[in-house]
């Protein structure tokens, strides 16, 4: 009998996968492969003992339910896990549970096998041997390891196996973390490395760096070093953990978790394991000394203070006698806990006030050198930059791979070399030399050759440092960079809140860039100007930006100030201006595609709904959430929801579907009412359809980086098809009868104690607008009529003291108030 072989030719041809190991990482990887549409087999070992529940049911160790328990349990937990590993809980149906003993033959029918078992060399080698016994030649095999030797792991395997073997190091949680480090060995085929990169980027939506087979690869190597020097400098400069975190978080262009909160999340024992791995695998005495075990970490781990998983580390959460939770921080001198202290200083305040990561870092490091905080910040940054520079050509080929690894794996806004450019290479190196530091030879050589930066830009290209000059940074064809286009002078219109950018092929993109991308007068004016400009001179419009979030809503502060001052004409003008701007966008005689990402809330959703197509990224959190601040959508959100309900019922403006009656509208109206009244937000772009906020033409894509290019492609496709502007719609509404049904539901919730009196008031206003007011059931009303209802309800709620309390609480606390 001949052996069937396969040769995976492209990322698109990978349709099935197997994941070995159903722990946190294995289950997360399996879930994300299912997110990408693959059929997945999840295998684990056969349990050796029965659980109490299994014994009560009379099961034995031979029962398939027992033998597959670990993998089946991991799949069941996916629907309950937070953060959710699946875009859509229905994707769990793509994952089949099994065990390595009974189901090993299933590996022979998969295109990609991912080993994700415990981080023990002997166990991984044993599993790889089992994989080789069952896989068919040509199948991709990768190990998910955070730093073990990939080549040594494959020793003893066949040449063909080694040619198709590499590491794919996913960061946790796999769905959310962008970085995948691909680590080939000397035996890995070049085409296999390329295929794995294509697979991770285009199918899984990841950012890939190619790492060398060195201890802990790129991100963990430099990230761990940075944590160690920060711990050391915290002690050396006599800082508290709060002070160190205040300086190494957003003030330095890094996440809020900063250093010590990050250590607690990672686990102090895990950090020691990483430190040991580098030290034990290194043959360089200086490197071994750098990764010596910090005594403080050893003491905390010995005391069981492992971080968040044990309840205490550098921070711990305690409950007061009144039941309120409070966070305490570790006092490094005594190892006792005390109340957190809010940190403020001119150095930190200057960094916070600066705009952008580069400006923040410059402000922090340019502070008075005699200031203790400034000395600490400079020391930690200096040491990390020098270490990163020393690793070029050791752990990674280029500065780009190191920068991307730190941005994608540790969520730094700037990689080490981007940061170095921002603070000035020549000036900072001169200071380092004055302080007796040794500068890596290749950096010295660059400066001697007259190169004062690691990156330089020209037109739409970026170049990075290599020996003797610069090499062009690879730019993917399906990625459009708005910042690069603006840098190349492609801005068509620009205001303080938004820019209209030429993205090629006679298509422009309207980019919001106000604070938090909140919609105010400047953005609305930019929308109106853009509509006029696009109508005259362009084939179509994309709505997208590169901010942290697409849009968090309207300018709530402005509305609150006007409401508290009783300036009702001003409030109405704001709402009418918003509504009219959205109508102009909807009536534009050129195609419009919105490509939102991450938080797209309230007014952000209302800015998308006029588009012909909404193209969501996988991590789009989409919702009309105005009830959370005591209001209802009034920028056209309620009007568009009423239109969607009518169309779903077959009562569209184009005509009534055969056999449909006005009563068929109610179920669709009920669903949308519940979504808006409860301020529901999607957990992913794919989940938004379940909330009823998407139309049939709207969809989500897997790769967020490609969203602007894909939106542009859709604009051109609509244009080629002979696009014509939407006409004024007449909308079938549920009227008095439909509103009464919604009101009954609100009353039941109120009587059951599930909502407050003010919640009921808001819900009643929402029901009135969505149902079309007090007209008869099935009446056809104009869009302007529905917008008038929106405006009237919004104004009345703005006048309520409890609504103003909710608005104020959201602005000051960042979370909704229930009153």
């Amino acid at each position: 009998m001949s052996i069937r072989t396969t040769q995976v030719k492209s990322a698109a041809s990978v349709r099935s996968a197997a994941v070995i190991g159903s722990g946190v990482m294995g289950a997360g990887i399996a879930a994300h492969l299912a997110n990408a549409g693959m059929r997945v087999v999840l295998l684990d070992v056969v349990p050796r003992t029965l659980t109490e529940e299994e014994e009560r049911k009379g099961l034995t160790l031979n029962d398939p339910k027992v033998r597959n328990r670990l993998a089946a349990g991991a799949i069941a937990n996916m629907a309950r896990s937070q953060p959710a590993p699946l875009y859509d809980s229905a994707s769990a149906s793509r994952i089949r549970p099994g065990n390595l003993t009974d189901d090993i033959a299933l590996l022979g029918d998969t295109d990609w096998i991912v080993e994700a078992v415990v981080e023990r060399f002997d166990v991984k080698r044993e599993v790889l041997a089992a994989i080789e016994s069952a896989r068919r030649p040509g199948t991709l095999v990768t190990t998910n390891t955070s730093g073990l030797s990939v080549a040594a792991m494959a020793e003893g395997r066949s040449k063909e196996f080694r040619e198709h073997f590499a590491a794919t190091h996913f960061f946790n949680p796999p769905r959310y973390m962008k970085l995948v480090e691909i680590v080939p060995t000397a035996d890995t085929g070049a085409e296999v490395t390329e295929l794995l990169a294509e697979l991770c980027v285009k199918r899984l939506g990841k950012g890939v760096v190619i790492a060398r087979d060195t201890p802990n690869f790129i991100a963990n190597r430099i990230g761990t070093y940075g944590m160690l020097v920060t711990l050391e400098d915290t002690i050396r400069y006599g800082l508290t953990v709060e002070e160190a975190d205040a300086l190494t978080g957003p003030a330095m262009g890094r996440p809020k978790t900063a250093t010590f909160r990050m250590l607690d999340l990672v686990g102090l024992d895990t950090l020691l394991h990483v430190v040991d791995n580098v030290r034990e695998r290194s043959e360089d005495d200086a490197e071994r000394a750098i990764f010596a075990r910090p005594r403080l970490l050893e003491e905390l781990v010995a005391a069981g203070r492992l971080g968040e998983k044990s309840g205490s580390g550098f921070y711990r959460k305690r409950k007061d006698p009144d039941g309120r939770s409070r966070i305490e921080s570790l006092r490094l001198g005594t190892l006792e806990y005390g109340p957190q202290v809010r940190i403020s200083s001119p150095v930190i305040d200057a960094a916070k006030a600066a705009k952008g990561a580069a400006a923040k870092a410059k402000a922090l490091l340019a502070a008075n050198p005699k200031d203790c905080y400034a000395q600490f910040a400079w020391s930690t940054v200096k040491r990390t930059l020098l270490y990163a520079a020393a690793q070029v050509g050791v752990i990674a080929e280029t500065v780009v791979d190191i920068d991307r690894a730190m941005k994608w794996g540790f969520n730094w806004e700037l990689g080490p070399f981007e940061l170095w450019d921002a603070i000035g290479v020549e000036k900072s190196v001169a200071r380092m030399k004055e302080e007796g530091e040794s500068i890596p030879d290749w950096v010295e050589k660059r400066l001697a050759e007259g190169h004062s930066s690691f990156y330089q830009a020209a037109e739409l290209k970026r170049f990075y440092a290599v020996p003797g000059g610069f090499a062009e940074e690879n730019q993917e064809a399906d990625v459009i960079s708005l910042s690069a286009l603006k840098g190349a002078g492609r801005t068509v219109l620009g205001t303080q809140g938004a820019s209209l950018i030429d993205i090629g092929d006679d298509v422009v993109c309207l980019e919001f860039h106000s604070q938090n991308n909140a919609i105010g007068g400047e953005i609305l004016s930019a929308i109106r100007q853009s509509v006029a400009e696009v109508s005259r001179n362009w084939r179509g419009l994309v709505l997208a930006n590169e901010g942290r979030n697409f849009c968090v809503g309207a300018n709530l502060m402005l509305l609150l100030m006007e409401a508290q001052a009783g300036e009702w004409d001003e409030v109405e003008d704001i709402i009418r201006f918003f509504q009219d701007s959205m109508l102009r966008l909807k009536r534009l005689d050129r195609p419009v595609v919105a490509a939102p990402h991450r938080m797209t809330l309230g007014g952000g959703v209302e800015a998308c709904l006029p588009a012909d197509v909404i193209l969501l990224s996988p991590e789009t959190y989409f919702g009309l959430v105005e009830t959370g601040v005591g209001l209802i959508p009034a920028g056209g959100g309620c009007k568009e929801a009423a239109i969607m309900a009518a169309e779903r019922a077959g009562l569209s403006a184009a005509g009534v579907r055969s056999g449909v009656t006005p009563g068929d509208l109610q179920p669709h109206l009920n669903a949308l009412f519940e979504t808006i009244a409860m301020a529901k937000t999607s957990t992913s772009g794919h989940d938004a359809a379940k909330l009823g906020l998407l139309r049939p033409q709207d969809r989500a894509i897997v790769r967020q980086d490609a969203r602007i290019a894909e939106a542009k492609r859709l604009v051109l496709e609509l244009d080629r098809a002979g696009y014509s502007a939407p006409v004024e719609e007449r909308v079938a509404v549920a009227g008095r009868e439909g509103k009464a049904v919604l009101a009954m539901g609100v009353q039941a919730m109120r009587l059951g104690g599930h909502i407050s009196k003010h919640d009921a008031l808001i819900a009643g206003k929402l029901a009135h607008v969505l149902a079309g007011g007090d007209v008869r059931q099935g009446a056809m009303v104009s869009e302007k009529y529905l917008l008038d209802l929106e405006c009237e309800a919004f104004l009345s709620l703005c006048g309520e003291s409890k609504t103003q309390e909710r608005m104020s609480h959201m602005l000051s606390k960042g979370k909704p108030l229930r009153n």
Side-chain angles (χ1 to χ4, degrees):
M1 182 178 70
S2 62
I3 299 175
R4 184 165 68 93
T5 65
T6 185
Q7 183 64 53
V8 179
K9 300 293 185 182
S10 68
S13 66
V14 177
R15 298 184 177 88
S16 61
V19 178
I20 315 298
S22 63
V24 172
M25 284 304 299
I29 293 168
H32 197 59
L33 298 180
N35 285 337
M38 296 183 199
R39 292 180 290 105
V40 184
V41 175
L42 181 60
L43 305 181
D44 211 317
V45 296
V46 175
R48 295 181 179 179
T49 59
L50 295 171
T51 65
E52 291 183 3
E53 183 180 358
E54 288 168 343
E55 288 180 344
R56 285 197 301 271
K57 291 181 177 179
L59 300 177
T60 70
L61 290 174
N62 293 323
D63 193 292
K65 289 185 177 180
V66 175
R67 296 176 73 80
N68 295 340
R69 181 215 307 154
L70 297 179
I75 296 169
N77 284 335
M78 289 175 186
R80 300 187 291 267
S81 297
Q82 293 296 327
L86 294 166
Y87 294 150
D88 184 338
S89 57
S91 294
S93 63
R94 296 195 185 103
I95 309 173
R96 172 182 173 180
N99 67 78
L100 273 169
T101 302
D102 304 327
D103 302 306
I104 191 74
L106 294 176
L107 301 184
D109 194 33
T110 56
D111 301 319
W112 181 17
I113 301 169
V114 182
E115 171 272 302
V117 300
V118 64
E119 195 79 340
R120 273 181 47 187
F121 200 74
D122 57 335
V123 177
K124 285 183 177 290
R125 283 177 59 87
E126 182 181 343
V127 170
L128 291 178
I131 290 172
E132 184 171 27
S133 72
R135 71 182 274 276
R136 63 179 186 258
T139 302
L140 299 171
V141 181
T142 62
T143 175
N144 184 71
T145 175
S146 59
L148 297 180
S149 171
V150 184
M153 206 182 294
E155 287 178 0
R157 307 278 63 79
S158 69
K159 181 176 183 293
E160 190 276 337
F161 182 98
R162 297 196 310 275
E163 288 172 346
H164 291 82
F165 177 70
T168 45
H169 177 209
F170 288 82
F171 275 60
N172 191 35
R175 167 185 161 181
Y176 299 91
M177 294 301 292
K178 182 173 181 176
L179 180 62
V180 173
E181 293 176 318
I182 293 180
V183 190
T185 71
D187 294 324
T188 308
E191 71 284 357
V192 170
T193 302
E194 292 173 5
L195 176 56
L196 287 170
E198 180 189 11
L199 183 58
C200 290
V201 169
K202 295 189 175 179
R203 291 291 301 280
L204 304 184
K206 296 301 177 187
V208 164
V209 297
I210 306 299
R212 288 189 174 181
D213 190 4
T214 57
N216 297 104
F217 311 136
I218 303 175
N220 281 343
R221 178 77 162 265
I222 292 176
T224 299
Y225 175 81
M227 290 178 182
L228 291 178
V229 299
T230 301
L231 174 59
E232 183 180 313
D233 281 347
T234 300
I235 296 170
R236 178 152 66 103
Y237 287 97
L239 270 57
T240 65
V241 296
E242 297 103 317
E243 288 173 320
D245 275 355
L247 290 160
T248 60
M252 203 176 278
R254 296 178 187 171
K256 292 180 180 179
T257 47
T259 299
F260 291 104
R261 290 187 187 280
M262 174 67 78
L263 284 170
D264 278 356
L265 286 170
V266 169
L268 308 192
D269 55 336
T270 301
L271 181 70
L272 284 182
H273 172 75
V274 173
V275 167
D276 291 343
N277 188 49
V278 178
R279 188 183 65 258
E280 291 167 4
R281 289 183 57 195
S282 177
E283 297 178 358
D284 184 289
D285 289 340
E287 184 85 353
R288 290 172 61 85
I290 287 171
F291 284 88
R293 281 181 155 224
R295 182 178 175 184
L296 174 60
L297 290 184
E298 288 186 314
E299 291 180 8
L300 291 172
V301 170
R305 300 180 183 182
L306 308 181
E308 200 167 87
K309 59 187 172 185
S310 69
S312 65
F314 287 102
Y315 294 93
R316 73 174 181 183
K317 186 180 288 188
R318 306 286 283 179
K319 281 198 173 181
D320 290 330
D322 62 1
R324 292 185 180 181
S325 295
R326 59 186 172 92
I327 305 294
E328 296 180 330
S329 60
L330 187 71
R331 305 297 187 252
L332 299 180
T334 63
L335 298 190
E336 299 295 329
Y337 292 93
Q340 278 195 106
V341 178
R342 185 177 180 84
I343 306 302
S344 179
S345 81
V347 171
I348 295 173
D349 293 343
K352 286 183 177 179
K355 301 296 184 184
K360 289 180 184 295
K362 288 180 72 173
L364 185 63
L365 299 175
N368 183 351
K370 294 183 179 180
D371 184 283
C372 181
Y373 287 172
Q375 291 175 348
F376 165 84
W378 166 248
S379 179
T380 59
V381 167
K382 173 185 69 175
R383 297 171 72 184
T384 303
L385 296 182
L386 289 172
Y387 184 76
Q391 301 311 309
V392 175
V394 178
I395 64 176
E397 289 293 330
T398 71
V399 298
V400 176
D401 285 326
I402 291 176
D403 279 348
R404 287 176 171 175
M406 299 316 298
K407 290 191 293 183
W408 296 341
F410 276 72
N411 292 319
W412 291 8
E413 290 190 50
L414 297 173
F417 298 98
E418 292 172 325
L419 174 60
W420 210 338
D421 276 357
I423 65 176
V425 179
E426 288 180 306
K427 183 178 178 180
S428 59
V429 166
R431 181 176 176 183
M432 292 172 185
K433 287 183 175 180
E434 288 174 4
E435 296 168 354
E437 300 292 349
S438 176
I439 311 300
D441 291 343
W442 74 273
V443 176
E444 289 268 39
K445 184 178 179 182
R446 284 193 59 73
L447 291 172
E449 292 171 347
H451 301 302
S452 59
S453 67
F454 296 103
Y455 291 93
Q456 68 178 27
E459 297 179 352
L460 296 178
K461 300 175 181 178
R462 193 165 83 142
F463 299 85
Y464 63 89
V466 295
F470 290 90
E472 185 176 342
E473 186 175 352
N474 178 46
Q475 297 293 333
E476 293 156 304
D478 59 351
V479 175
I480 291 176
S481 169
L482 298 180
S483 59
L485 289 166
K486 287 194 293 183
R490 299 275 282 272
T491 300
V492 178
L493 297 170
T495 71
Q496 190 172 346
S499 296
L500 188 66
I501 305 161
D502 176 2
I503 59 174
D505 297 311
D506 293 326
V507 179
V508 283
C509 177
L510 181 59
E511 173 200 42
F512 303 162
H513 46 70
S514 65
Q515 185 173 1
N516 293 321
N517 286 344
I519 296 178
E522 288 185 340
I523 286 180
L524 295 174
S525 293
I527 289 173
R528 296 158 81 97
Q529 293 176 55
S530 297
V531 165
E533 170 67 20
V534 172
S535 179
R536 287 192 300 265
N537 300 315
W538 303 86
R539 294 173 69 182
L541 176 66
V542 169
L543 295 175
N545 63 68
E546 294 171 336
R548 186 180 298 275
N549 300 297
F550 176 76
C551 177
V552 298
N555 188 333
L556 194 60
M557 175 64 79
L558 177 61
L559 285 168
L560 178 60
M561 290 171 58
E562 299 289 5
Q564 288 177 331
E567 298 287 351
W568 303 116
D569 288 344
E570 291 293 332
V571 176
E572 182 171 0
D573 286 346
I574 292 170
I575 298 308
R576 295 294 187 186
F577 193 57
F578 199 137
Q579 291 178 340
D580 182 66
S581 300
M582 296 305 107
L583 269 183
R584 292 188 188 203
L585 191 60
K586 184 173 183 177
R587 301 279 183 266
L588 177 60
D589 57 354
R590 299 286 187 271
V592 180
V593 176
H597 68 286
R598 294 189 60 81
M599 289 175 63
T600 304
L601 306 175
V605 172
E606 291 178 304
C608 292
L609 290 175
D612 298 291
V613 179
I614 303 174
L615 184 73
L616 297 95
S617 74
E619 302 306 333
T620 303
Y621 315 122
F622 199 76
L624 291 165
V625 296
E626 286 85 350
T627 59
V629 289
L631 299 167
I632 68 163
C638 288
K639 180 257 295 182
E640 291 297 325
I643 292 172
M644 285 190 278
E647 289 179 341
R648 288 168 190 165
L651 297 164
S652 69
V656 178
R657 199 165 58 225
S658 176
V660 174
T661 66
D664 294 316
L665 178 59
Q666 196 68 49
H668 303 285
L669 187 67
N670 293 348
L672 279 164
F673 173 76
E674 181 180 319
T675 289
I676 300 171
M678 297 183 69
K680 291 183 178 180
T681 303
S682 71
T683 58
S684 70
H686 299 70
D687 181 58
K690 288 186 175 181
L691 299 185
L693 296 176
L694 299 184
R695 296 82 53 95
Q697 69 269 31
D698 302 328
R699 61 187 178 87
I701 60 173
V702 170
R703 191 177 177 212
Q704 178 168 303
D705 289 349
R707 71 188 187 282
I708 299 176
E710 177 63 11
K712 172 185 165 181
R713 188 191 68 77
L714 290 174
V715 164
L716 294 172
E717 186 177 287
L718 289 168
D719 177 64
R720 284 192 292 267
Y723 181 83
S724 58
V727 297
E728 169 76 22
E729 294 189 59
R730 302 287 292 179
V731 185
V733 295
R736 293 182 295 269
E737 294 86 345
K739 183 171 74 169
V741 172
L742 298 178
M744 288 175 59
V746 173
Q747 184 179 21
M749 291 287 285
R750 175 73 181 120
L751 293 174
H754 301 294
I755 60 175
S756 69
K757 183 178 179 181
H758 193 56
D759 290 328
L761 174 67
I762 299 163
K765 300 280 187 182
L766 177 64
H768 179 75
V769 177
L770 289 179
D774 293 318
V775 298
R776 61 176 176 77
Q777 187 181 56
M780 302 293 288
V781 301
S782 68
E783 290 185 69
K784 183 181 182 306
Y785 170 80
L786 290 171
L787 289 173
D788 288 342
L789 292 182
E790 277 187 1
C791 186
E792 179 185 349
F794 190 94
L795 284 168
S796 67
L797 287 170
C798 277
E800 297 285 338
S801 60
K802 288 189 180 297
T803 284
Q804 293 179 17
E805 288 171 9
R806 290 190 179 193
M807 295 166 74
S808 179
H809 190 271
M810 176 61 74
L811 288 167
S812 61
K813 304 294 184 182
K815 55 186 179 182
L817 170 70
R818 295 299 304 275
N819 59 355

